[in-house]
């Protein structure tokens, strides 16, 4: 298996296992295909940092002209640090702290997507104290079922995200009265890994009708933020092509003079990266074979957390015979698996396996559970590879900790 022109095994020799490897060219292509699809309408592609907030990925985004969708002060820091212009950054999230809001206002980001009445009050207070004009939008909950995994739907009535329309309308009126707040946009995000266009069309239609009602109240927004959520192929899914997605958006927004804000994450980075792990042991019990690998749920939690499917294949072509195995990690949880009863070309211990589609919500959701060091990340461009994050050292595992004096004697 190669990443661009580099044999994956060569990277493994250099950095050890497990690790993530990303392709520059793939990310670039995904970004451009997505962004260019919308070229007929004014838009900003605000890459959703949470999918993968490695500084090298953020820098690539900045270079390709993208903005950022952030959900924390940490992501704001990283996005700015990577050179993403503040006026291309939107801030979502149900629980922004005063400190996070203050730094976003100071940085002069494009807009803050407000998700509750309490947050609106916090933003108003800060705007008055700082005497800064703050561009805001309300993230409305369009009450749409995107028909995806329940953990990643966000626009249903029962979800914690966004504000129901009847409340949002009232909040817009309050914003209008505030001297330092400017209602510049309206936003929504209905979920993730969405495989049909209909939910997006329904969402943008309801945003359009809300925009019309706001006009009636004398409030003119100029930006409509449709969120992220376009799905990708992990197994045999057939997600809409970005051009189809752009086509329907274009049709819906024609003549409205709005700036479209997009917050794609997974669709840009998901299939730009794979996770490489080494087979440690083959363990057989009656009726089952386990491939025990050196990567685990702390490194890539999607299978354990969502029962997500990731294609897994040997880095070196298998010898032909296919066997059915459970691919599991060393973490002390039965949920620590990458695949169950999965047919795979049989390999020997010591060989490498690639877990595909791991570029989004892979490293960014990783942890130190079981005092496992967070893994290395590598970026490949053409014939070269670059370590963009070193594997953590043992010392990193105690960094920031301290032991009270009475325990030291
Ligand atoms: N905008 C907002 C406000 C979001 O909450 C999200 C994702 C996105 C944009 C980007 O969505 P995307 O284009 O990547 O679908 N950890 C889960 C996915 C959680 C998504 C959370 N919000 C997973 O591994 O499937």
């Amino acid at each position: 298996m190669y990443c661009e022109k580099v044999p994956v095994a060569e990277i493994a020799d250099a950095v050890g296992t497990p690790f993530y490897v990303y392709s520059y060219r793939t990310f670039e292509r995904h970004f451009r295909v997505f962004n260019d699809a919308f070229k007929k309408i004014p838009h900003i592609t605000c890459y959703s940092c949470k999918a993968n907030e490695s500084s090298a990925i953020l820098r690539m985004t900045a270079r390709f002209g993208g903005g950022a969708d952030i959900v924390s002060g940490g992501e704001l820091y990283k996005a700015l640090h990577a050179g993403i212009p503040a006026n291309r950054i939107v801030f979502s999230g149900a629980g922004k702290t005063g400190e996070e809001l203050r730094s976003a206002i100071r940085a002069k980001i494009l807009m803050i997507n407000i998700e509750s009445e309490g947050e609106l009050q916090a933003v108003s207070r800060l705007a008055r104290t700082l005497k800064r004009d703050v561009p805001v939008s309300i993230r409305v909950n369009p009450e749409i079922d995107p028909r995806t995994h329940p953990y990643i739907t966000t626009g249903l009535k029962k979800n914690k995200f966004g504000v129901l329309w009847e409340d949002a309308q009232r909040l817009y009126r309050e914003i209008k009265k505030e001297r330092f707040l400017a209602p510049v946009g309206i936003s929504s995000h209905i979920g993730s890994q969405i495989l049909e266009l209909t939910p997006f069309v329904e969402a943008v239609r309801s945003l359009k009708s809300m925009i019309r009602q706001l006009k009636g109240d004398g409030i003119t927004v100029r930006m409509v933020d449709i969120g992220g959520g376009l799905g990708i192929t992990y197994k045999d899914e057939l997600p809409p092509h970005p051009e189809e997605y752009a086509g329907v958006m274009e049709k819906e927004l024609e003549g409205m003079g709005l700036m479209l804000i997009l917050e794609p994450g997974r669709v840009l980075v998901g299939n730009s990266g794979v996770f490489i792990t080494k087979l440690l042991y083959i363990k057989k019990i009656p009726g089952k074979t386990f491939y025990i690998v050196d990567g685990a749920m702390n490194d890539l939690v999607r299978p354990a957390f969502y029962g997500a499917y990731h294609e897994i294949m040997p880095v070196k072509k298998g010898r032909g015979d296919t066997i059915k195995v459970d691919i599991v990690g060393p973490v002390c949880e039965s949920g620590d698996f990458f695949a169950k009863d999965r047919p795979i070309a049989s390999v020997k211990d010591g060989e490498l396996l690639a877990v595909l589609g791991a570029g989004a919500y892979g490293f960014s959701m990783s942890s130190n559970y079981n005092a496992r060091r967070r893994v290395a990340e590598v970026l490949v461009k053409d014939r070269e590879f670059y370590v963009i994050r070193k594997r953590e050292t043992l010392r990193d595992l105690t960094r920031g900790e301290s032991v009270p004096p009475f325990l030291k004697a």
Side-chain angles (χ1 to χ4, degrees), residues 48 50 69 92 139 152 189 192-193 228-230 263-266 302 306 361 365:
S48 191
K50 64 177 83 63
D69 155 47
S92 319
R139 172 165 169 190
I152 51 180
H189 167 79
S192 197
Q193 183 58 8
L230 197 59
E263 304 176 353
R266 189 190 316 265
R302 301 194 72 257
Y306 311 108
Y361 308 107
M365 291 181 82

Side-chain angles (χ1 to χ4, degrees), residues 319-332:
R319 283 159 302 156
D321 47 329
T322 297
I323 56 165
K324 214 179 240 184
V325 296
D326 279 14
I327 302 176
V328 300
V331 159
C332 302

